[in-house]
Amino acid sequence: MSTLSSQDSGIVIIGAGIVGLATALALHKKGIGSVVLEKAESLRATGAAIGIQTNGWRALDQLGVGPALREKAVRLQALREVFLDNGQTREARLGKEEGRYLLRSDLLQALFDGLPAGTVRFGCHIVKVKTDPVTSHSTLQFHDGNVAIAKILIGCDGVNSIVGESLKLKPTRDAPTGALRGLANYPNGHGFGNDYVRIKKGSVLVGRIPVDHKSVYWFVARPRLPGDSEILGKPELIRQEALKEMEGYPQELTEMVEKSDDSALTFTKISYRAPWDLLLGNFRRGTATVAGDAMHVMGPFLGQGGAAGLEDAIVLARCLAKELCMRPNGDYDGRQLVNKVGKALDEYVEERRMRVARLSLQTYLTGILVATSSMFVTRLIFLVLRILFRGSFSHAQYDCGRL
């Protein structure tokens, strides 16, 4: 296992997922070094693909990886919705909005390749974080009993964040919806075009999204069931469950599930942080904070979780760079420096709070639409969304600014 030395423990990021790597890369581009601790032994892409909309591509361009990643995914042309219960269809052309679905492995690798060698330390399993009340530094306790000190700590460690726990954030909540996901491969091309298609029947929503001309990402969102825990991590059971939920759907969708690789089949119990908890939560303690899902995990119904995390990375690096006078070998000693870090993290939290709270609320309401089969509830939620949010793609028009 890799451990930290006193010379390289200035800024520590926990978690080498998308947001952890993006934060390290953003800091690197501002001339600020960091160490990323990952408990796995190598990069791991949880889930097959991830949607990135206009706001996310703006962040990726700031990180310098946008152009190369665009070559790996087709640009979506329209969102097409089909309601099998009443035969209605609805289509929205994306126009200037840029939406693409990337393989998670491609995105992770692009971010990782932009970092200096040795930035990411694999096999580092953190089990506890404690803040020193005098220095504001964080003590990290490893699984093997070793400890290290982080003078600035950024938790990008997902839903069950150790750093979030140390900040005493309220627990995340379980959504009433579960999601089956997969990636279908068509060696000779799928021929589906470049539209994002969503088909709803009752309380089940099926999505089909092209990644490129030979790969299609799909999902089945449906109410949680008592036996869901039995299919976790079991690809063949996930496939069978998806096919069962797709009874009565077009045959091309069931064929898509049958063509999917076992390695890409997943089932997720969707969880979220309530919008009101985001408005009231304390996301900074001393010189520690959180980003990505550790701060604002939300359902997948807007496809904004990953992009919002990329925004976090840009804003956090920008705020830290504005306040810090970087010194060699991670030398961040002194109460004045602690005050500067605190100010930077407060600015970051304040800038992100309302943005992610609005995203979370819109996602929460959209999730109700997915879960309900009631026409009254559907019309009510559509009305509320129309009042609170301007346009179907307004959430994607946000610009987190320059790095």
Coordinates of all heavy atoms in Angstrom, one line a residue, residues 175-180 201-205 220-226 228 241 245 267 370-372:
A175 N -33.9 6.8 -2.9 CA -35.0 7.1 -3.8 C -35.8 5.8 -4.0 O -35.3 4.7 -3.8 CB -34.4 7.5 -5.2
P176 N -37.0 5.9 -4.4 CA -37.9 4.8 -4.6 C -37.6 4.1 -5.9 O -38.4 3.1 -6.3 CB -39.3 5.4 -4.6 CG -39.1 6.7 -5.1 CD -37.8 7.2 -4.6
T177 N -36.6 4.5 -6.6 CA -36.3 4.0 -8.0 C -35.0 3.3 -8.0 O -34.0 3.7 -7.3 CB -36.3 5.1 -9.0 OG1 -37.5 5.8 -8.9 CG2 -36.1 4.6 -10.4
G178 N -34.9 2.2 -8.7 CA -33.6 1.5 -9.0 C -33.3 1.5 -10.5 O -34.3 1.7 -11.3
A179 N -32.1 1.4 -10.9 CA -31.7 1.5 -12.3 C -30.8 0.4 -12.7 O -29.8 0.1 -12.1 CB -31.0 2.8 -12.6
L180 N -31.3 -0.3 -13.8 CA -30.5 -1.4 -14.4 C -29.8 -0.7 -15.6 O -30.5 0.0 -16.4 CB -31.4 -2.5 -14.9 CG -32.3 -3.1 -13.8 CD1 -33.7 -3.2 -14.3 CD2 -31.8 -4.5 -13.4
K201 N -43.6 3.2 -19.9 CA -44.8 2.4 -19.8 C -45.1 2.1 -18.4 O -44.3 1.6 -17.6 CB -44.6 1.0 -20.5 CG -45.8 0.1 -20.5 CD -45.5 -1.2 -21.1 CE -46.7 -2.2 -21.1 NZ -46.5 -3.5 -21.6
G202 N -46.2 2.7 -17.9 CA -46.5 2.6 -16.5 C -45.5 3.4 -15.7 O -45.2 4.5 -16.0
S203 N -44.9 2.7 -14.7 CA -43.8 3.3 -13.9 C -42.4 2.9 -14.3 O -41.5 3.0 -13.5 CB -44.1 3.0 -12.4 OG -44.1 1.6 -12.2
V204 N -42.3 2.3 -15.5 CA -41.0 1.9 -16.0 C -40.5 2.8 -17.1 O -41.3 3.0 -18.1 CB -41.1 0.4 -16.5 CG1 -39.7 0.0 -17.0 CG2 -41.5 -0.5 -15.3
L205 N -39.3 3.2 -17.0 CA -38.7 4.1 -18.1 C -37.5 3.4 -18.7 O -36.6 3.0 -17.9 CB -38.3 5.4 -17.5 CG -37.7 6.4 -18.5 CD1 -38.7 6.9 -19.5 CD2 -37.1 7.6 -17.7
V220 N -32.8 0.9 -17.5 CA -34.2 0.7 -17.2 C -34.4 1.2 -15.8 O -33.8 0.7 -14.8 CB -34.5 -0.8 -17.2 CG1 -36.0 -1.0 -16.7 CG2 -34.3 -1.4 -18.6
A221 N -35.2 2.3 -15.6 CA -35.5 2.8 -14.3 C -36.9 2.4 -13.9 O -37.9 2.5 -14.7 CB -35.5 4.4 -14.4
R222 N -37.0 1.7 -12.8 CA -38.3 1.2 -12.3 C -38.3 1.2 -10.8 O -37.3 1.4 -10.1 CB -38.5 -0.2 -12.9 CG -37.4 -1.2 -12.7 CD -37.6 -1.9 -11.4 NE -36.8 -3.1 -11.3 CZ -36.1 -3.4 -10.2 NH1 -36.0 -2.6 -9.2 NH2 -35.4 -4.6 -10.1
P223 N -39.5 1.1 -10.2 CA -39.6 1.1 -8.7 C -38.7 0.1 -8.0 O -38.5 -1.0 -8.6 CB -41.1 0.9 -8.4 CG -41.8 1.3 -9.7 CD -40.8 1.0 -10.8
R224 N -38.2 0.4 -6.9 CA -37.4 -0.6 -6.1 C -38.2 -1.7 -5.7 O -39.4 -1.6 -5.4 CB -36.8 0.1 -4.9 CG -35.8 1.2 -5.2 CD -34.4 0.7 -5.2 NE -34.0 0.3 -3.8 CZ -33.5 1.1 -2.9 NH1 -33.4 2.4 -3.1 NH2 -33.2 0.6 -1.7
L225 N -37.6 -2.9 -5.6 CA -38.3 -4.1 -5.2 C -37.6 -4.8 -4.0 O -36.4 -4.6 -3.8 CB -38.4 -5.1 -6.4 CG -39.1 -4.6 -7.7 CD1 -38.9 -5.6 -8.8 CD2 -40.5 -4.4 -7.4
P226 N -38.4 -5.5 -3.2 CA -37.8 -6.1 -2.0 C -36.6 -7.0 -2.3 O -35.6 -7.1 -1.5 CB -38.9 -7.0 -1.4 CG -40.1 -6.3 -1.9 CD -39.8 -5.8 -3.3
D228 N -34.2 -6.7 -4.6 CA -33.2 -6.0 -5.5 C -31.8 -6.4 -5.0 O -30.9 -6.5 -5.8 CB -33.4 -4.5 -5.5 CG -34.5 -4.1 -6.5 OD1 -34.9 -4.9 -7.3 OD2 -34.9 -2.9 -6.4
E241 N -33.7 -9.5 -15.3 CA -34.6 -8.5 -14.7 C -34.9 -7.4 -15.8 O -36.1 -7.0 -15.9 CB -33.9 -7.8 -13.5 CG -34.8 -6.8 -12.8 CD -36.0 -7.4 -12.1 OE1 -36.0 -8.7 -11.9 OE2 -36.9 -6.7 -11.8
E245 N -38.6 -6.5 -17.3 CA -39.2 -5.2 -17.3 C -39.6 -4.6 -18.6 O -40.4 -3.8 -18.8 CB -38.3 -4.2 -16.6 CG -38.0 -4.5 -15.1 CD -39.3 -4.3 -14.2 OE1 -40.3 -3.8 -14.7 OE2 -39.2 -4.7 -13.0
F267 N -26.7 -2.8 -11.6 CA -27.9 -2.4 -10.9 C -27.5 -1.4 -9.8 O -26.6 -1.7 -9.0 CB -28.7 -3.5 -10.3 CG -29.9 -3.1 -9.5 CD1 -31.0 -2.6 -10.2 CD2 -29.9 -3.1 -8.2 CE1 -32.1 -2.2 -9.5 CE2 -31.0 -2.6 -7.4 CZ -32.1 -2.2 -8.1
V370 N -40.7 10.0 -13.3 CA -40.3 8.7 -13.7 C -41.0 7.6 -12.9 O -41.5 6.6 -13.4 CB -38.8 8.5 -13.5 CG1 -38.4 7.0 -13.8 CG2 -38.0 9.4 -14.5
A371 N -41.2 7.8 -11.6 CA -41.7 6.8 -10.7 C -43.2 6.7 -10.7 O -43.8 5.6 -10.4 CB -41.3 7.0 -9.3
T372 N -43.9 7.8 -11.1 CA -45.4 7.7 -11.0 C -46.1 7.3 -12.3 O -45.5 7.4 -13.4 CB -45.9 9.2 -10.7 OG1 -47.3 9.1 -10.4 CG2 -45.7 10.1 -11.9

